[in-house]
Amino acid sequence: MKIVDKIAQKSAEGKPFYSFEYFPPKTTQGLSNLFDRIGRMQTLSPTFVTCTWGAGGSTFDKTTELSAVAQTVHGLETCMHLTCTNMDRGKVDDALAEAKKAGIQNILALRGDPPRGQEYWTQIDDTFVHAIDLVRYIRQQYGDYFCIGVAGYPEGHMDSTDITSDQEIGYLKEKIEAGADFVLTQLFYDVEGFLAWEKQCRALGITCPIIPGIMPIQSHNGFRRITNLAKIRVPAAVAAALEPIQSDDQKVKDYGVELAAKMIQQLLDAKITGFHICTLNLEKSVRLILERVGFVQPAIQARKLQLNAPTHVNTDEGIPGPTDATAKDSYLNPLTWNPIDAQGLSESWDDFPNGRWGDARSPAFGDLDGYGASLKVEPRKALEMWKRPTGAEDISNLFVEFIQGKVPLLPWSEGSPLPETEAIQSRLVSCNERGLWTVGSQPAVNGKPSTDPLVGWGPKGGYVYQKAFVELFVGPNEVAVMVQKLRTSSPWITFFAASRDGDVVTNVTGDVLEEQRKIAELKKVCNGTPSSSGSLKMTSSEETPVCAAPFIKGGEDALVEGSNAVTWGVFPGKEIIQPTVIEKVSFLAWRDEAFEIWREWEHLYPKGSASQKLLHQIGHDYWLFNVVHNDFRDENGIWDIVLA
């Protein structure tokens, strides 16, 4: 069914509606678990769902599979994103054919972001330069079969700095006149600004549905990243509310729910009746927002209803609501909520994803901002920051200046170094001065309060732990030496190393006896205390202490599979939370992106220039290493080995 027809139904019934956006996780396990999560979130009764598309068709297989499963298995009206940048006509044809084969009738037609510096970018197929070209092509090839959506930008497109709002709305109107049926907007946090823009659209003759994009704040760093990248205005009240709680992840998430619900209520009061929620593949916040606004029954009340409800419930029909005159019983959906997935994990098991080293099994593992392997900064600014390197020494100096705060961004970073970097700054400077270019790291932490300004995370009242790790690019002449040091220097070291061409070296063997020995040793470490001679002396307790739980949780199988929790937290009344897990599957997913970023940087410069040649050679010859020192009590062990 077409989205515009479903919207018309809701309008005729006088009911508001909402939809969800999902992105394809990077790993097969993550995708499989997302299928389960979508099945659970189906009970929230979204009018439709959308599935995002990677730049240049990089997620072709996963996006088409995700869209097909949502449509055919879960029975959700699905809208597949489709970008035309860096896509030839054949790939566009294949994507549209796959969508039709799965019974999908809705496409969100986007230009997409150029995958390299715009100064030297040329489209692969001159059929597709702008989103309007894709809209016209779909109409030419499929007539009225597809319902086509396009993007709207209430605060202007991030690349359109020199055109007026009227001009940009004019371009939007042209897309609609070319065959688009509805508009999904970019996220925003300034409701008054959106309402003024929507009014301007109507005044200029746009009559189709305009659905505002709502992205709940899940973490302060993620919020800062996406607003900077997409140039989203942050109202002073929002910034002020986040300032005192930015180091308390739970409070930030709670505020994100409160803010999103408040925004939706403001929009409802202004007669806006549809909302597109960017879920980031997380479920708990979405449910809480819908409960807060009154779109669904609270989970506890829904369970009580479930005990007395018939087996089959039509979720499109309202149910009797509270007697309170303010209750939205005219459009309240019954909710049969079962927040337990097939693995027995709760809806909040991945509530604190931690960048690319989150749990690779998580449905939220991947590119949360949707930018993928890109420089995350416009080319002009990139050239101002990174200049025109002509030798390895220039690259080393750039990395050092980033660590010292003199350069605000590197191609692999999303902003300046995190506060915890202060604890290891001198070590990182030494690495980069030696040509070991670091793109990720964390210090060892042994039970710091969760409110610690440098390393704290999660709700207050807890304690956090970290193993030291560093990921770095190593030159071809240093690779063999580095591998030998890591293999022989300490039994506490685990590492992965990989080249762009697919070669992988690791000491994580999966040997059962070896892993059992590590488990036993870790139990001793956490139960023991140093004696005067420096050896470990066992305490009287035979119970496994909480600090060892991440290593033995799930039994030996978890370690044999190569999962390594490098950050975990202990919080009152909660299970151990492990937001950072390094394992082979996540390392290899990151390896592909890390080397692709060398290529993206390379394309900032004219072909054949000294800078382009240098970056091309480095990307081809260097290896990416990820090194973990598993004794979280040892602050210096990893650096003594890497810098030896």
Side-chain angles (χ1 to χ4, degrees):
M1 188 174 183
K2 294 182 177 180
I3 285 173
V4 288
D5 293 335
K6 299 204 76 169
I7 293 174
Q9 282 184 354
K10 292 290 185 181
S11 179
E13 296 166 357
K15 295 180 179 179
F17 66 90
Y18 46 89
S19 54
F20 300 155
E21 177 182 285
Y22 299 104
F23 67 86
K26 283 185 175 181
T27 64
T28 302
Q29 276 187 303
L31 184 62
S32 177
N33 286 331
L34 178 58
F35 293 154
D36 294 335
R37 178 161 284 180
I38 290 173
R40 293 193 304 279
M41 294 179 73
Q42 178 187 7
T43 63
L44 296 171
S45 302
T47 299
F48 63 92
V49 301
T50 69
C51 303
T52 66
W53 185 269
S58 57
T59 63
F60 180 100
D61 292 336
K62 287 180 179 175
T63 295
T64 52
E65 181 182 2
L66 176 59
S67 301
V69 168
Q71 180 77 39
T72 61
V73 176
H74 297 299
L76 293 164
E77 206 59 60
T78 301
C79 176
M80 187 177 79
H81 292 213
L82 183 60
T83 66
C84 58
T85 296
N86 209 31
M87 292 265 289
D88 60 35
R89 190 181 310 188
K91 187 172 283 189
V92 171
D93 287 337
D94 290 344
L96 293 170
E98 287 292 321
K100 186 174 182 181
K101 180 181 176 182
I104 294 169
Q105 282 192 274
N106 305 284
I107 299 291
L108 186 65
L110 305 165
R111 186 200 75 175
D113 297 298
R116 60 187 64 138
Q118 293 176 336
E119 288 89 340
Y120 307 110
W121 170 71
T122 57
Q123 64 274 11
I124 284 181
D125 190 324
D126 59 11
T127 303
F128 307 117
V129 180
H130 302 289
I132 192 172
D133 301 319
L134 182 56
V135 173
R136 289 171 178 153
Y137 185 77
I138 295 172
R139 284 283 173 249
Q140 290 168 1
Q141 298 298 311
Y142 287 89
D144 290 331
Y145 175 80
F146 285 111
C147 175
I148 303 175
V150 291
Y153 300 92
E155 299 177 3
H157 192 281
M158 58 185 294
D159 295 333
S160 303
T161 57
D162 56 351
I163 65 173
T164 66
S165 179
D166 279 356
Q167 286 176 309
E168 187 145 333
I169 293 174
Y171 296 146
L172 177 60
K173 186 177 180 182
E174 288 176 7
K175 290 189 285 188
I176 295 164
E177 291 171 345
D181 299 297
F182 66 95
V183 176
L184 283 183
T185 80
Q186 187 179 54
L187 67 108
F188 60 89
Y189 295 97
D190 180 359
V191 174
E192 294 302 322
F194 166 82
L195 292 173
W197 176 82
E198 193 264 352
K199 184 177 181 180
Q200 191 178 2
C201 288
R202 301 308 187 195
L204 292 175
I206 295 177
T207 59
C208 70
I210 298 176
I211 308 171
I214 306 293
M215 179 181 283
I217 300 173
Q218 299 287 356
S219 72
H220 186 261
N221 285 337
F223 168 76
R224 185 179 62 178
R225 174 183 61 192
I226 194 64
T227 53
N228 287 339
L229 289 173
K231 298 180 181 177
I232 304 299
R233 288 197 297 271
V234 179
V238 174
L242 285 170
E243 177 62 29
I245 63 172
Q246 60 181 290
S247 60
D248 188 326
D249 291 353
Q250 186 60 59
K251 285 187 176 180
V252 170
K253 290 179 75 70
D254 293 343
Y255 175 71
V257 169
E258 176 188 335
L259 177 63
K262 180 180 177 181
M263 290 173 62
I264 291 174
Q265 188 59 60
Q266 286 180 272
L267 293 167
L268 281 169
D269 293 343
K271 310 302 181 186
I272 303 296
T273 58
F275 314 94
H276 188 57
I277 301 175
C278 180
T279 69
L280 297 179
N281 292 3
L282 299 170
E283 56 188 304
K284 185 176 180 181
S285 291
V286 174
R287 173 177 61 81
L288 292 174
I289 290 164
L290 297 179
E291 286 182 6
R292 185 75 62 89
V293 181
F295 286 172
V296 300
Q297 291 278 10
I300 294 176
Q301 185 175 352
R303 284 184 183 140
K304 292 179 180 178
L305 289 170
Q306 183 180 10
L307 295 175
N308 300 312
T311 303
H312 300 288
V313 180
N314 181 354
T315 57
D316 284 334
E317 296 179 0
I319 62 172
T323 56
D324 185 346
T326 63
K328 302 175 179 62
D329 57 351
S330 62
Y331 52 80
L332 194 66
N333 284 324
L335 170 61
T336 305
W337 185 254
N338 177 21
I340 303 295
D341 64 16
Q343 295 179 306
L345 300 172
S346 72
E347 63 178 336
S348 56
W349 69 287
D350 56 355
D351 261 358
F352 299 104
N354 191 356
R356 60 177 170 270
W357 295 122
D359 193 332
R361 300 167 300 168
S362 166
F365 181 78
D367 303 315
L368 300 187
D369 54 31
Y371 282 75
S374 68
L375 298 182
K376 298 177 173 64
V377 63
E378 60 187 51
R380 177 182 57 81
K381 289 186 178 180
L383 290 169
E384 288 176 1
M385 287 188 292
W386 308 329
K387 312 301 181 186
R388 298 180 183 275
T390 57
E393 186 177 350
D394 294 333
I395 306 292
S396 295
N397 290 337
L398 181 62
F399 274 80
V400 169
E401 290 179 350
F402 171 71
I403 297 299
Q404 294 173 336
K406 299 176 183 177
V407 172
L409 197 70
L410 285 180
W412 295 268
S413 68
E414 296 154 349
S416 56
L418 294 175
E420 68 177 8
T421 304
E422 292 180 18
I424 52 175
Q425 185 184 62
S426 63
R427 301 289 199 164
L428 294 173
V429 167
S430 296
C431 280
N432 288 288
E433 286 177 341
R434 289 183 46 178
L436 304 173
W437 301 324
T438 59
V439 291
S441 61
Q442 72 178 28
V445 174
N446 185 11
K448 290 277 189 178
S450 59
T451 53
D452 185 273
L454 294 184
V455 299
W457 58 271
K460 68 178 181 180
Y463 292 91
V464 297
Y465 299 81
Q466 291 183 176
K467 300 176 186 177
F469 83 78
V470 62
E471 52 180 329
L472 61 166
F473 286 105
V474 178
N477 296 330
E478 300 280 345
V479 170
V481 175
M482 181 65 73
V483 168
Q484 181 65 13
K485 284 195 298 186
L486 298 177
R487 282 193 185 279
T488 61
S489 296
S490 170
W492 289 104
I493 289 289
T494 52
F495 75 93
F496 294 100
S499 69
R500 168 179 276 176
D501 295 333
D503 298 315
V504 179
V505 177
T506 180
N507 65 345
V508 181
T509 62
D511 181 274
V512 175
L513 293 177
E514 175 64 13
E515 298 298 349
Q516 289 176 339
R517 185 195 65 76
K518 287 182 181 179
I519 292 170
E521 181 66 18
L522 286 164
K523 288 182 180 179
K524 291 179 182 178
V525 168
C526 293
N527 272 327
T529 56
S531 67
S532 58
S533 62
S535 61
L536 286 175
K537 179 173 61 179
M538 297 304 295
T539 65
S540 58
S541 173
E542 292 298 323
E543 296 180 358
T544 301
V546 292
C547 65
F551 307 107
I552 63 172
K553 183 180 177 182
E556 283 80 350
D557 289 344
L559 279 176
V560 172
E561 290 171 359
S563 297
N564 188 355
V566 296
T567 303
W568 64 99
V570 181
F571 303 97
K574 293 180 178 289
E575 293 182 350
I576 302 287
I577 298 175
Q578 300 170 208
T580 313
V581 180
I582 293 177
E583 52 195 334
K584 186 174 182 180
V585 64
S586 55
F587 172 75
L588 293 179
W590 164 237
R591 183 270 312 269
D592 295 341
E593 182 174 332
F595 280 108
E596 185 60 29
I597 290 174
W598 281 109
R599 200 190 312 271
E600 295 295 313
W601 188 7
E602 168 192 340
H603 284 131
L604 282 177
Y605 307 98
K607 189 173 183 179
S609 66
S611 296
Q612 184 269 327
K613 288 181 178 179
L614 171 70
L615 296 172
H616 178 81
Q617 193 66 41
I618 289 172
H620 183 270
D621 292 345
Y622 275 57
W623 282 55
L624 178 67
F625 278 70
N626 178 284
V627 185
V628 178
H629 195 288
N630 290 277
D631 185 352
F632 54 87
R633 307 161 306 158
D634 190 344
E635 297 179 356
N636 299 314
I638 192 170
W639 310 111
D640 293 342
I641 294 169
V642 170
L643 292 171

